[in-house]
Amino acid sequence: ACATTPTPTPPIPSSPVPVLTVRPSPTPNPVTATPEGICPGILPVGFVILGYLPEYRTLNPEWGACLTDLVYFSVEPRPDGTLDASRLSEDTWRALRAMKAEYGTRLHLTVGGWERSAGFAPMTAKPAARARFVQNLLGFAEEHQLNGVDFDWEFPQNETEFENYIALLTEVKAAFGERGLTVSVALSADNASTMDLSRFAVVDRIHVMSYDRGNYHSTYNAAVEDLNTFTINDIPRKQLLLGVPFYGRLTSEPYTAYTYQELISLHHPPADVDEVDGIYFNNTATIGFKTCLVREEGYGGIMIWELGQDTWDETSLLRAIYKSAAQGCNVE
């Protein structure tokens, strides 16, 4: 989940997911430094590469060469419709605006997140508080030159809270859409067991959190199934961004998590190895396979949790994503 740490969320009963026949995985082009720059090539029209930056990470301005969008994580909603933005840094805001000016990276803000969602239920329950929240959020977005906002309520607990969430998203979309700003929401395929996923089509993008899903928590096959869960619930493919993890975790309890950077530094795994010392993760090959799936099947793009866990050399997952998205893949 989009959380302050990559620890897994409590398990939610899974809904049945139709089995898809998985095609042979494409072989991503290797990541290599070239005179063209860090991330050479041109992305397919409309393809999104979006990464989250939690406030406890340091921004690497060069990420802008490989990203189309960056989401600053996060503010909390208060019951009265105001925002708690106390975690966010003005220094980071300045650096984000500089990155946007240099690379054209679109900037977004997350509202909520794991252990940051307590204010949603009381705020959304009152139309006046929702209206106040929409205006406060819009003012914040304009002040910080944002291109959109992202919602991560983990999780509505009953049908009333779900309906109030949809009402909030609808109202935010109406206000933000008038100004050309996008609205996104982070969801897991597991949410299909408690929510009507088709109702989330009201927003512009859905960030599919295809990680923390079982012992081997983010496999290629799980990505296929998770995307399918949303498409069979009437979400257009272009609205879906496949979420990929820049961390690994133990394949058994307590599911301790490790950043990708830690795994590379400690274990130096080959590019096609996704498990070391009982820790499952996505290396550049699997990340490339997933990017090729998204590119070839017409989905909206890739979402990353989260940027600060990556390396920044030839082993970089972000650079592997860009390479596969821009140059395509060879199918064996």
Side-chain angles (χ1 to χ4, degrees):
C2 297
T4 56
T5 62
T7 52
T9 58
I12 303 172
S14 298
S15 60
V17 178
V19 176
L20 290 184
T21 300
V22 180
R23 299 181 307 162
S25 297
T27 302
N29 293 306
V31 176
T32 56
T34 77
E36 299 176 64
I38 296 169
C39 285
I42 299 174
L43 296 175
V45 174
F47 193 97
V48 174
I49 301 178
L50 175 147
Y52 282 88
L53 174 70
E55 85 283 337
Y56 51 82
R57 300 290 189 192
T58 301
L59 175 71
N60 175 359
E62 290 186 343
W63 289 334
C66 309
L67 293 170
T68 63
D69 298 71
L70 184 145
V71 187
Y72 196 13
F73 184 95
S74 72
V75 299
E76 289 188 54
R78 294 192 181 104
D80 64 356
T82 58
L83 301 174
D84 179 359
S86 59
R87 291 186 176 92
L88 307 186
S89 160
E90 188 54 42
D91 288 342
T92 300
W93 280 122
R94 282 192 290 269
L96 287 169
R97 287 192 291 270
M99 186 179 76
K100 180 178 182 178
E102 181 172 358
Y103 296 104
T105 312
R106 295 182 292 259
L107 302 181
H108 309 257
L109 173 73
T110 291
V111 180
W114 182 245
E115 297 185 339
R116 299 185 181 188
S117 295
F120 274 115
M123 180 268 288
T124 58
K126 300 177 181 178
R130 286 203 312 266
R132 192 178 308 117
F133 172 82
V134 172
Q135 290 307 307
N136 285 329
L137 185 60
L138 185 58
F140 192 94
E142 291 176 340
E143 177 187 354
H144 291 86
Q145 302 173 34
L146 297 179
N147 298 96
V149 289
D150 174 58
F151 287 88
D152 187 14
W153 181 352
E154 301 192 25
F155 299 96
Q157 296 300 304
N158 53 53
E159 184 64 22
T160 297
E161 291 187 3
F162 169 70
E163 291 295 337
N164 291 341
Y165 194 18
I166 297 300
L168 174 68
L169 294 174
T170 302
E171 291 159 10
V172 171
K173 172 59 181 169
F176 277 61
E178 289 182 354
R179 292 162 173 81
L181 306 178
T182 62
V183 180
S184 61
V185 61
L187 295 168
S188 166
D190 281 337
N191 294 137
S193 64
T194 57
M195 305 180 195
D196 178 359
L197 296 183
S198 69
R199 302 284 299 283
F200 289 101
V202 67
V203 301
D204 299 291
R205 297 174 182 166
I206 293 175
H207 300 166
V208 179
M209 298 188 290
S210 189
Y211 38 76
D212 293 348
R213 309 270 287 127
N215 293 345
Y216 289 80
H217 78 112
S218 187
T219 64
Y220 178 90
N221 285 0
V224 174
E225 293 173 355
D226 289 349
L227 289 169
N228 186 53
T229 295
F230 284 88
T231 58
I232 64 173
N233 280 280
D234 300 321
I235 303 297
R237 291 190 178 199
K238 284 298 184 183
Q239 284 184 248
L240 297 173
L241 303 189
L242 173 64
V244 296
F246 279 17
Y247 65 92
R249 67 175 206 178
L250 290 174
T251 58
S252 59
E253 293 183 353
Y255 299 119
T256 305
Y258 302 84
T259 70
Y260 174 72
Q261 187 178 86
E262 289 174 325
L263 295 173
I264 293 298
S265 176
L266 292 173
H267 299 284
H268 308 287
D272 59 350
V273 170
D274 278 349
E275 185 177 1
V276 290
D277 200 23
I279 304 163
Y280 181 80
F281 64 104
N282 286 182
N283 212 320
T284 52
T286 296
I287 286 289
F289 298 158
K290 290 181 177 181
T291 305
C292 293
L293 167 71
V294 168
R295 184 183 192 271
E296 295 171 358
E297 297 298 328
Y299 292 100
I302 294 287
M303 175 272 279
I304 297 156
W305 182 264
E306 41 87 356
L307 293 165
Q309 299 169 313
D310 198 13
T311 58
W312 199 235
D313 56 19
E314 69 278 357
T315 65
S316 166
L317 297 177
L318 175 57
R319 289 168 61 183
I321 289 168
Y322 191 97
K323 194 82 167 182
S324 295
Q327 298 190 9
C329 306
N330 302 314
V331 179
E332 292 183 339

Tab-separated table of all heavy atoms in Angstrom, residues 218-253:
chain	number	residue	atom	x	y	z
A	218	SER	N	4.470	-9.622	-5.351
A	218	SER	CA	4.236	-8.751	-6.509
A	218	SER	C	4.742	-9.411	-7.785
A	218	SER	O	5.629	-8.893	-8.458
A	218	SER	CB	4.930	-7.396	-6.303
A	218	SER	OG	4.586	-6.497	-7.327
A	219	THR	N	4.155	-10.536	-8.133
A	219	THR	CA	4.615	-11.283	-9.302
A	219	THR	C	4.013	-10.715	-10.590
A	219	THR	O	3.043	-9.944	-10.572
A	219	THR	CB	4.210	-12.762	-9.196
A	219	THR	OG1	2.774	-12.848	-9.215
A	219	THR	CG2	4.747	-13.391	-7.923
A	220	TYR	N	4.566	-11.134	-11.707
A	220	TYR	CA	4.043	-10.735	-13.023
A	220	TYR	C	2.605	-11.251	-13.183
A	220	TYR	O	1.712	-10.520	-13.633
A	220	TYR	CB	4.943	-11.301	-14.115
A	220	TYR	CG	4.481	-10.995	-15.522
A	220	TYR	CD1	4.913	-9.849	-16.181
A	220	TYR	CD2	3.623	-11.857	-16.200
A	220	TYR	CE1	4.499	-9.558	-17.474
A	220	TYR	CE2	3.196	-11.581	-17.482
A	220	TYR	CZ	3.636	-10.435	-18.114
A	220	TYR	OH	3.211	-10.155	-19.391
A	221	ASN	N	2.377	-12.509	-12.833
A	221	ASN	CA	1.037	-13.076	-12.979
A	221	ASN	C	0.019	-12.336	-12.116
A	221	ASN	O	-1.134	-12.123	-12.529
A	221	ASN	CB	1.037	-14.561	-12.625
A	221	ASN	CG	1.663	-15.410	-13.707
A	221	ASN	OD1	2.106	-14.888	-14.735
A	221	ASN	ND2	1.722	-16.711	-13.495
A	222	ALA	N	0.429	-11.935	-10.901
A	222	ALA	CA	-0.474	-11.166	-10.044
A	222	ALA	C	-0.807	-9.822	-10.670
A	222	ALA	O	-1.938	-9.337	-10.559
A	222	ALA	CB	0.152	-10.962	-8.665
A	223	ALA	N	0.166	-9.223	-11.349
A	223	ALA	CA	-0.093	-7.956	-12.034
A	223	ALA	C	-1.158	-8.132	-13.116
A	223	ALA	O	-2.068	-7.303	-13.256
A	223	ALA	CB	1.200	-7.410	-12.633
A	224	VAL	N	-1.048	-9.209	-13.890
A	224	VAL	CA	-2.055	-9.495	-14.923
A	224	VAL	C	-3.435	-9.642	-14.281
A	224	VAL	O	-4.426	-9.059	-14.742
A	224	VAL	CB	-1.674	-10.777	-15.691
A	224	VAL	CG1	-2.790	-11.173	-16.658
A	224	VAL	CG2	-0.360	-10.589	-16.441
A	225	GLU	N	-3.518	-10.405	-13.214
A	225	GLU	CA	-4.803	-10.651	-12.549
A	225	GLU	C	-5.369	-9.378	-11.930
A	225	GLU	O	-6.580	-9.117	-11.996
A	225	GLU	CB	-4.633	-11.740	-11.498
A	225	GLU	CG	-4.316	-13.105	-12.094
A	225	GLU	CD	-3.974	-14.141	-11.044
A	225	GLU	OE1	-3.883	-13.767	-9.855
A	225	GLU	OE2	-3.805	-15.314	-11.406
A	226	ASP	N	-4.494	-8.573	-11.305
A	226	ASP	CA	-4.967	-7.352	-10.659
A	226	ASP	C	-5.529	-6.366	-11.680
A	226	ASP	O	-6.588	-5.758	-11.461
A	226	ASP	CB	-3.833	-6.700	-9.866
A	226	ASP	CG	-3.472	-7.485	-8.615
A	226	ASP	OD1	-4.229	-8.408	-8.252
A	226	ASP	OD2	-2.434	-7.171	-8.009
A	227	LEU	N	-4.847	-6.188	-12.785
A	227	LEU	CA	-5.366	-5.309	-13.833
A	227	LEU	C	-6.695	-5.841	-14.373
A	227	LEU	O	-7.637	-5.076	-14.607
A	227	LEU	CB	-4.348	-5.177	-14.964
A	227	LEU	CG	-3.086	-4.367	-14.645
A	227	LEU	CD1	-2.043	-4.542	-15.746
A	227	LEU	CD2	-3.409	-2.889	-14.445
A	228	ASN	N	-6.763	-7.149	-14.543
A	228	ASN	CA	-7.996	-7.752	-15.052
A	228	ASN	C	-9.164	-7.528	-14.101
A	228	ASN	O	-10.310	-7.334	-14.545
A	228	ASN	CB	-7.786	-9.250	-15.276
A	228	ASN	CG	-8.973	-9.908	-15.950
A	228	ASN	OD1	-9.428	-9.476	-16.989
A	228	ASN	ND2	-9.481	-10.957	-15.324
A	229	THR	N	-8.899	-7.541	-12.793
A	229	THR	CA	-9.960	-7.306	-11.820
A	229	THR	C	-10.623	-5.953	-12.055
A	229	THR	O	-11.841	-5.807	-11.929
A	229	THR	CB	-9.403	-7.377	-10.391
A	229	THR	OG1	-8.947	-8.707	-10.135
A	229	THR	CG2	-10.464	-7.011	-9.362
A	230	PHE	N	-9.839	-4.960	-12.417
A	230	PHE	CA	-10.407	-3.636	-12.659
A	230	PHE	C	-11.090	-3.558	-14.018
A	230	PHE	O	-12.161	-2.934	-14.144
A	230	PHE	CB	-9.322	-2.565	-12.541
A	230	PHE	CG	-8.947	-2.280	-11.108
A	230	PHE	CD1	-7.960	-3.015	-10.474
A	230	PHE	CD2	-9.595	-1.288	-10.390
A	230	PHE	CE1	-7.617	-2.775	-9.157
A	230	PHE	CE2	-9.268	-1.032	-9.069
A	230	PHE	CZ	-8.279	-1.777	-8.444
A	231	THR	N	-10.530	-4.185	-15.034
A	231	THR	CA	-11.155	-4.090	-16.356
A	231	THR	C	-12.498	-4.814	-16.402
A	231	THR	O	-13.426	-4.350	-17.065
A	231	THR	CB	-10.233	-4.624	-17.469
A	231	THR	OG1	-9.886	-5.980	-17.201
A	231	THR	CG2	-8.973	-3.794	-17.563
A	232	ILE	N	-12.617	-5.932	-15.686
A	232	ILE	CA	-13.908	-6.622	-15.669
A	232	ILE	C	-14.931	-5.866	-14.833
A	232	ILE	O	-16.124	-6.161	-14.886
A	232	ILE	CB	-13.793	-8.077	-15.170
A	232	ILE	CG1	-13.344	-8.145	-13.717
A	232	ILE	CG2	-12.884	-8.891	-16.070
A	232	ILE	CD1	-13.379	-9.538	-13.117
A	233	ASN	N	-14.475	-4.882	-14.073
A	233	ASN	CA	-15.374	-3.993	-13.336
A	233	ASN	C	-15.540	-2.654	-14.062
A	233	ASN	O	-15.783	-1.616	-13.435
A	233	ASN	CB	-14.859	-3.782	-11.918
A	233	ASN	CG	-15.200	-4.942	-11.001
A	233	ASN	OD1	-16.320	-5.050	-10.500
A	233	ASN	ND2	-14.246	-5.825	-10.791
A	234	ASP	N	-15.372	-2.700	-15.385
A	234	ASP	CA	-15.729	-1.588	-16.270
A	234	ASP	C	-14.850	-0.356	-16.117
A	234	ASP	O	-15.295	0.762	-16.400
A	234	ASP	CB	-17.207	-1.196	-16.078
A	234	ASP	CG	-18.154	-2.349	-16.384
A	234	ASP	OD1	-17.871	-3.092	-17.344
A	234	ASP	OD2	-19.151	-2.519	-15.660
A	235	ILE	N	-13.596	-0.550	-15.699
A	235	ILE	CA	-12.649	0.554	-15.676
A	235	ILE	C	-11.849	0.510	-16.974
A	235	ILE	O	-11.202	-0.495	-17.270
A	235	ILE	CB	-11.703	0.469	-14.470
A	235	ILE	CG1	-12.496	0.426	-13.153
A	235	ILE	CG2	-10.728	1.643	-14.486
A	235	ILE	CD1	-13.312	1.660	-12.873
A	236	PRO	N	-11.876	1.569	-17.768
A	236	PRO	CA	-11.110	1.578	-19.031
A	236	PRO	C	-9.617	1.400	-18.775
A	236	PRO	O	-9.076	1.900	-17.776
A	236	PRO	CB	-11.406	2.969	-19.609
A	236	PRO	CG	-12.703	3.373	-19.000
A	236	PRO	CD	-12.687	2.793	-17.616
A	237	ARG	N	-8.956	0.704	-19.675
A	237	ARG	CA	-7.534	0.414	-19.478
A	237	ARG	C	-6.689	1.675	-19.332
A	237	ARG	O	-5.736	1.707	-18.556
A	237	ARG	CB	-7.013	-0.441	-20.637
A	237	ARG	CG	-7.578	-1.844	-20.649
A	237	ARG	CD	-6.881	-2.735	-21.656
A	237	ARG	NE	-7.409	-4.088	-21.601
A	237	ARG	CZ	-6.799	-5.158	-22.080
A	237	ARG	NH1	-5.633	-5.024	-22.701
A	237	ARG	NH2	-7.334	-6.352	-21.983
A	238	LYS	N	-7.031	2.712	-20.088
A	238	LYS	CA	-6.232	3.936	-20.049
A	238	LYS	C	-6.289	4.633	-18.695
A	238	LYS	O	-5.443	5.475	-18.386
A	238	LYS	CB	-6.679	4.900	-21.147
A	238	LYS	CG	-6.208	4.523	-22.542
A	238	LYS	CD	-4.669	4.535	-22.627
A	238	LYS	CE	-4.198	4.249	-24.039
A	238	LYS	NZ	-2.714	4.189	-24.117
A	239	GLN	N	-7.284	4.300	-17.882
A	239	GLN	CA	-7.367	4.889	-16.543
A	239	GLN	C	-6.508	4.153	-15.526
A	239	GLN	O	-6.345	4.640	-14.405
A	239	GLN	CB	-8.818	4.890	-16.055
A	239	GLN	CG	-9.683	5.958	-16.683
A	239	GLN	CD	-11.079	5.970	-16.086
A	239	GLN	OE1	-12.054	5.635	-16.760
A	239	GLN	NE2	-11.196	6.356	-14.827
A	240	LEU	N	-5.957	3.004	-15.886
A	240	LEU	CA	-5.272	2.151	-14.930
A	240	LEU	C	-3.752	2.304	-15.018
A	240	LEU	O	-3.160	2.141	-16.089
A	240	LEU	CB	-5.647	0.691	-15.175
A	240	LEU	CG	-7.132	0.343	-14.982
A	240	LEU	CD1	-7.391	-1.085	-15.431
A	240	LEU	CD2	-7.540	0.532	-13.519
A	241	LEU	N	-3.126	2.602	-13.888
A	241	LEU	CA	-1.677	2.583	-13.765
A	241	LEU	C	-1.307	1.389	-12.891
A	241	LEU	O	-1.812	1.250	-11.775
A	241	LEU	CB	-1.141	3.860	-13.114
A	241	LEU	CG	-1.480	5.200	-13.763
A	241	LEU	CD1	-0.677	6.319	-13.085
A	241	LEU	CD2	-1.237	5.203	-15.257
A	242	LEU	N	-0.451	0.528	-13.407
A	242	LEU	CA	-0.025	-0.648	-12.652
A	242	LEU	C	1.010	-0.241	-11.608
A	242	LEU	O	2.072	0.281	-11.944
A	242	LEU	CB	0.576	-1.702	-13.591
A	242	LEU	CG	1.203	-2.913	-12.897
A	242	LEU	CD1	0.139	-3.711	-12.136
A	242	LEU	CD2	1.927	-3.801	-13.906
A	243	GLY	N	0.711	-0.516	-10.351
A	243	GLY	CA	1.636	-0.217	-9.271
A	243	GLY	C	2.708	-1.292	-9.131
A	243	GLY	O	2.407	-2.483	-9.122
A	244	VAL	N	3.964	-0.854	-9.040
A	244	VAL	CA	5.091	-1.770	-8.874
A	244	VAL	C	5.887	-1.356	-7.636
A	244	VAL	O	5.965	-0.170	-7.309
A	244	VAL	CB	6.009	-1.791	-10.115
A	244	VAL	CG1	5.263	-2.332	-11.328
A	244	VAL	CG2	6.580	-0.414	-10.412
A	245	PRO	N	6.491	-2.328	-6.932
A	245	PRO	CA	7.208	-2.018	-5.699
A	245	PRO	C	8.697	-1.822	-5.940
A	245	PRO	O	9.333	-2.593	-6.663
A	245	PRO	CB	6.974	-3.279	-4.864
A	245	PRO	CG	6.960	-4.385	-5.881
A	245	PRO	CD	6.349	-3.788	-7.137
A	246	PHE	N	9.250	-0.809	-5.320
A	246	PHE	CA	10.702	-0.628	-5.308
A	246	PHE	C	11.257	-1.126	-3.972
A	246	PHE	O	12.161	-0.538	-3.393
A	246	PHE	CB	11.062	0.842	-5.530
A	246	PHE	CG	11.047	1.271	-6.975
A	246	PHE	CD1	10.405	0.524	-7.951
A	246	PHE	CD2	11.680	2.445	-7.368
A	246	PHE	CE1	10.389	0.918	-9.293
A	246	PHE	CE2	11.674	2.853	-8.703
A	246	PHE	CZ	11.035	2.094	-9.661
A	247	TYR	N	10.689	-2.227	-3.506
A	247	TYR	CA	11.137	-2.866	-2.269
A	247	TYR	C	10.827	-4.351	-2.360
A	247	TYR	O	10.025	-4.792	-3.199
A	247	TYR	CB	10.448	-2.256	-1.034
A	247	TYR	CG	8.944	-2.491	-0.987
A	247	TYR	CD1	8.400	-3.589	-0.328
A	247	TYR	CD2	8.060	-1.627	-1.630
A	247	TYR	CE1	7.043	-3.815	-0.299
A	247	TYR	CE2	6.702	-1.845	-1.618
A	247	TYR	CZ	6.197	-2.934	-0.942
A	247	TYR	OH	4.834	-3.161	-0.926
A	248	GLY	N	11.479	-5.113	-1.505
A	248	GLY	CA	11.168	-6.535	-1.387
A	248	GLY	C	10.743	-6.833	0.031
A	248	GLY	O	10.877	-6.000	0.933
A	249	ARG	N	10.231	-8.042	0.235
A	249	ARG	CA	9.882	-8.427	1.605
A	249	ARG	C	10.012	-9.932	1.750
A	249	ARG	O	9.982	-10.686	0.767
A	249	ARG	CB	8.486	-7.952	1.971
A	249	ARG	CG	7.366	-8.612	1.217
A	249	ARG	CD	6.000	-8.180	1.730
A	249	ARG	NE	5.020	-9.214	1.443
A	249	ARG	CZ	3.747	-9.155	1.797
A	249	ARG	NH1	3.283	-8.106	2.436
A	249	ARG	NH2	2.926	-10.149	1.521
A	250	LEU	N	10.166	-10.368	2.989
A	250	LEU	CA	10.275	-11.791	3.275
A	250	LEU	C	9.043	-12.518	2.766
A	250	LEU	O	7.922	-11.987	2.796
A	250	LEU	CB	10.433	-12.021	4.771
A	250	LEU	CG	11.765	-11.603	5.411
A	250	LEU	CD1	11.696	-11.767	6.929
A	250	LEU	CD2	12.921	-12.427	4.844
A	251	THR	N	9.239	-13.744	2.312
A	251	THR	CA	8.123	-14.515	1.767
A	251	THR	C	7.302	-15.210	2.848
A	251	THR	O	6.354	-15.928	2.536
A	251	THR	CB	8.644	-15.568	0.767
A	251	THR	OG1	9.575	-16.423	1.433
A	251	THR	CG2	9.315	-14.897	-0.419
A	252	SER	N	7.659	-15.028	4.101
A	252	SER	CA	6.885	-15.574	5.209
A	252	SER	C	6.855	-14.540	6.335
A	252	SER	O	7.611	-13.564	6.328
A	252	SER	CB	7.503	-16.892	5.706
A	252	SER	OG	8.841	-16.695	6.125
A	253	GLU	N	5.972	-14.750	7.282
A	253	GLU	CA	5.870	-13.801	8.395
A	253	GLU	C	7.209	-13.679	9.108
A	253	GLU	O	7.947	-14.659	9.213
A	253	GLU	CB	4.788	-14.281	9.363
A	253	GLU	CG	3.389	-14.221	8.747
A	253	GLU	CD	2.305	-14.618	9.734
A	253	GLU	OE1	2.661	-15.076	10.855
A	253	GLU	OE2	1.135	-14.482	9.393
